[in-house]
Amino acid sequence: MTEDSRGVYSIAVAAELSGAGEQALRLYERRGLLTPERTSGGTRRYSVDDIAVLRRIVLLLADGLNLAGALRVLELEAINDELRAELARLKE
């Protein structure tokens, strides 16, 4: 686990850092756009990586996409990242 993937922020802090409301964060999780860590008591803990995803979601929604569209964009961006990494490995 990298430092950026470790869940450290509460939902209130994550909402403030991302520009999305707490209820929106819960909705994004229910819709599968992100999966924050959970403490043993079930409290959500958001990482730096999660905050970056949340900010990307906020931008996509501001550009007019709905949640299904934002999810698809995130999936395609992840696939592109994997392909770029594979291409870089092959070029070595």
Side-chain angles (χ1 to χ4, degrees):
M1 177 178 291
T2 67
E3 186 67 25
D4 286 348
S5 65
R6 192 171 61 96
V8 294
Y9 298 111
S10 70
I11 192 168
V13 173
E16 185 176 335
L17 291 173
S18 67
E22 292 179 32
Q23 291 291 22
L25 272 62
R26 292 180 183 98
L27 175 63
Y28 301 161
E29 182 181 1
R30 279 194 307 274
R31 296 285 177 93
L33 279 81
L34 78 157
T35 306
E37 286 184 32
R38 296 281 185 145
T39 65
S40 59
T43 303
R44 291 172 181 86
R45 290 289 178 216
Y46 295 86
S47 67
V48 170
D49 291 341
D50 291 332
I51 301 300
V53 170
L54 287 167
R55 287 178 176 160
R56 182 72 177 125
I57 293 167
V58 168
L59 290 173
L60 291 170
L61 295 177
D63 284 343
L65 274 72
N66 60 19
L67 290 180
L71 176 59
R72 187 65 182 140
V73 167
L74 293 174
E75 290 169 344
L76 291 171
E77 288 175 345
I79 291 168
N80 281 340
D81 290 344
E82 291 171 13
L83 290 172
R84 284 187 184 105
E86 178 67 17
L87 182 59
R89 281 191 297 278
L90 292 172
K91 285 183 176 181
E92 291 177 351

